[in-house]
């Protein structure tokens, strides 16, 4: 019996991909936005591919700001691009 692989949608390309291939950004219950490298932090999560085209598309469309309904600090966006 095969183990089911959890799929998540990338905010940039809108494709469903295995969770392990994506970077998770989380908005904690206290409102702090951070990158979740473990995938286990509490709060609302949004996922992005690790490719440059998706990062550019997310920045251009303000996808994280819409997903979290808040302004995302520029340093978080730059950290995502570096991952």
């Amino acid at each position: 019996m095969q183990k089911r692989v959890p799929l998540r949608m990338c905010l940039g390309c809108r494709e469903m991909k295995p969770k392990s291939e994506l970077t998770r950004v989380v908005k904690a219950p206290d409102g702090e936005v951070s990158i979740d490298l473990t995938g286990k932090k509490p709060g609302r999560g949004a996922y992005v591919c690790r490719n440059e085209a998706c990062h550019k598309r997310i920045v251009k469309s303000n996808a994280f700001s819409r997903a979290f309904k808040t302004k995302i600090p520029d340093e978080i966006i730059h950290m995502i691009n570096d991952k």
Side-chain angles (χ1 to χ4, degrees):
M1 184 176 201
Q2 275 188 326
K3 189 174 179 181
R4 210 173 98 208
V5 177
L7 298 175
R8 299 293 183 265
M9 184 183 294
C10 171
L11 283 178
C13 62
R14 312 290 290 171
E15 290 182 22
M16 296 296 286
K17 297 188 178 187
K19 186 178 173 182
S20 62
E21 293 179 13
L22 302 170
T23 301
R24 182 175 190 242
V25 179
V26 66
K27 179 182 174 189
D30 65 1
E32 180 188 353
V33 177
S34 62
I35 296 176
D36 182 8
L37 298 176
T38 64
K40 307 240 186 255
K41 285 185 180 179
R44 174 138 178 96
Y47 296 84
V48 63
C49 294
R50 295 181 181 127
N51 86 35
E52 191 68 32
C54 285
H55 294 181
K56 288 179 182 178
R57 197 173 299 135
I58 288 169
V59 171
K60 185 177 179 181
S61 68
N62 287 324
F64 278 124
S65 295
R66 283 185 285 121
F68 295 136
K69 297 183 174 109
T70 188
K71 173 85 171 91
I72 305 301
D74 289 336
E75 51 271 6
I76 296 294
I77 298 297
H78 293 301
M79 286 172 44
I80 294 166
N81 289 336
D82 294 339
K83 296 290 173 204

